[in-house]
Amino acid sequence: MQRLKNRGRQVAVASVLAVVTALGATAWQSNTTAQDRDPGASQQRSSQRSSQRDRQSASNGAKRQAHSLSEAFRHAAEVAVPTVVSIRTTTKPREFRGGDRRGNRRSQRVNPFEGTPFEDFFNDDDLFFGPNVPDGRRFTPRQQGMGSGVVVDPSGIVLTNNHVVQGADEVIVQLADGREFKASDIKTDPETDLAVLRIKAPESLPAARLGDSSQLQVGDWVIAIGTPFNLSSTVSAGIISNAGRELLSNQRTRFLQTDAAINPGNSGGPLVNLDGEVVGINTAIASSSGSFQGIGFAIPSSVARWVMSQLIETGSVQRGYLGVNIQETNTALAEQLGVGRRAGVLVAEVLPGTPAAEAGFEAGDVITEYAGKRVSTPRDLQELVERTEINSRERVTVVRDGRERQLQVMVKPLPSRGPRAAGLADEEPQERPADDEGYADNDLGLEVAELTDETAQQLGFEGREGVLVSGVESDSPADLVGLSEGMLILKVGRQTVTSVDEFTKAIRKESLDQGVLLHVRTQAGNRFVVLERE
């Protein structure tokens, strides 16, 4: 009886398995039939699975890259942060001559940012005037400042900005480990807004390595380290957004531009590459609010290295000079002078008694090479000349009257108050001189008059020869190139003019369609301009 029951169970189980197998076979046959009918569906599912694997792989790759970048930032910070210092300055009250805001004379306080990119943001109206004392004297209040710096030598040499320590009576340097030292020696170079401090620590200090800023390219990652808003050891990251930015408020340095956050208190701190090397000294920001708005500037390490070495060795910076006023060659000037656009730097004036005068430079020369290096902008030439060894002889290639010439110049030290190779500054229009017999050209929109002894004395043109600009029509060719009353025209084309008659004869040989080249004297120096038809 029991065997019959077991036999029944076996039969039942077998029947169930047979049904399941049949259903599975039917389903497989149905699926196979469907795939046969639509082979694209299978391919689509396969493609979707492959796409999912690709996305996952890409996601994993992106994460690995992000982690790798984070590790690079961490490494750079670990290397550089121990070398970064905070700098506190104190300036004692100083007596000044002046009055208060109620109509009396203002304070004679020096702009603390003079000579730096911050100069234009300093507002005399925001000065605080200290209280009167019984004898009527007045004093500026006690002032405290904050900045950053970086140790560049284990013996205790710190590099920072000039404007961080300028005019301070006491400078305290706080290391990354919290120890504080009073700066025992301070050397500055206002021209580049750099300063070197020395502190006396009992042992060697962690020191940063100076990198090569000339190797930086737009898009390279950098980090800025400093003490913004009194928050020490703050690190921000960004990229180099321009590797040679020129700012009018600083005529001696081409800055590194970055979007790494730089705020008040960062000044003097390092801009560091991913190897932890200092490639710049944070100096300024472009801001309408006084705080970071996406653009900051740093002095390149190549400039800092050169300035620092001289400050350490001699306490000052000695720069070479030629004794020429120079300007950039725009398209119109390049065509007139027979050179390519940005193919060189135009000599607008050769100052007497200078190395350039002794070497035979002439106004109108286009300098294309200096010491074997090509130059295309005034700043290129300025930087090369300034860093030339004093009393060395250098070969200079110039284009004169369409032909190349080689000149030899002995570079001399730049006088403390002397001529400088620089671009031309904007000048205020001079008062119109007394009416004299002159000449007017309606096509040029220009009137000229004789230069009398009286007018020459009034305008500072003693010993000069030329014809005086006595009138300029608004929106005329003369106006569009910046000519104004009170300027002196020295040449028309290559022809020197010393009278209205000579000017008239020379100008009648010229054509606005081909451009009229004029050599003019302004309050800022000489320059060339080209008058063209609109």
Side-chain angles (χ1 to χ4, degrees), residues 83-94:
T83 71
V84 180
V85 302
S86 299
I87 297 175
R88 297 197 315 273
T89 63
T90 302
T91 305
K92 299 175 181 178
R94 284 183 169 82

Side-chain angles (χ1 to χ4, degrees), residues 464-475:
R464 303 277 179 179
E465 291 184 333
V467 295
L468 197 66
V469 176
S470 57
V472 175
E473 184 180 345
S474 178
D475 295 327

Side-chain angles (χ1 to χ4, degrees), residues 258-420:
T258 179
D259 63 355
I262 298 175
N263 281 293
N266 271 115
S267 288
L271 190 70
V272 178
N273 63 18
L274 294 186
D275 292 323
E277 298 172 331
V278 176
V279 292
I281 299 298
N282 301 321
T283 298
I285 55 177
S287 173
S288 59
S289 65
S291 297
F292 179 68
Q293 289 185 288
I295 297 179
F297 304 99
I299 300 168
S301 60
S302 59
V303 175
R305 188 193 304 274
W306 176 69
V307 170
M308 181 181 68
S309 63
Q310 293 200 63
L311 291 177
I312 292 173
E313 293 175 9
T314 66
S316 62
V317 178
Q318 193 174 56
R319 296 175 167 86
Y321 93 116
L322 298 181
V324 291
N325 284 333
I326 54 180
Q327 67 181 99
E328 191 168 351
T329 53
N330 57 30
T331 302
L333 284 171
E335 291 177 356
Q336 291 291 322
L337 299 170
V339 297
R341 175 77 171 93
R342 297 177 71 90
V345 178
L346 177 59
V347 176
E349 180 180 13
V350 179
L351 303 173
T354 62
E358 295 173 1
F361 282 80
E362 295 182 5
D365 286 348
V366 178
I367 300 175
T368 58
E369 285 190 12
Y370 175 85
K373 296 182 179 180
R374 299 288 298 181
V375 294
S376 58
T377 68
R379 191 62 58 85
D380 290 340
L381 179 63
Q382 183 183 48
E383 290 180 352
L384 289 172
V385 172
E386 286 188 347
R387 301 182 200 181
T388 301
E389 183 179 351
I390 302 302
N391 295 325
S392 65
R393 286 193 175 274
E394 304 296 340
R395 175 177 293 183
V396 183
T397 302
V398 303
V399 175
R400 182 183 300 169
D401 297 329
R403 299 178 60 184
E404 276 195 357
R405 296 172 181 256
Q406 301 295 325
L407 302 176
Q408 290 282 342
V409 61
M410 177 176 285
V411 178
K412 295 293 183 181
L414 176 68
S416 56
R417 285 185 174 273
R420 302 188 176 196

Side-chain angles (χ1 to χ4, degrees), residues 210-233:
L210 288 183
D212 186 358
S213 57
S214 67
Q215 298 301 311
L216 289 175
Q217 298 183 29
V218 172
D220 284 349
W221 281 104
V222 288
I223 61 175
I225 310 175
T227 311
F229 304 113
N230 204 21
L231 302 172
S232 62
S233 301

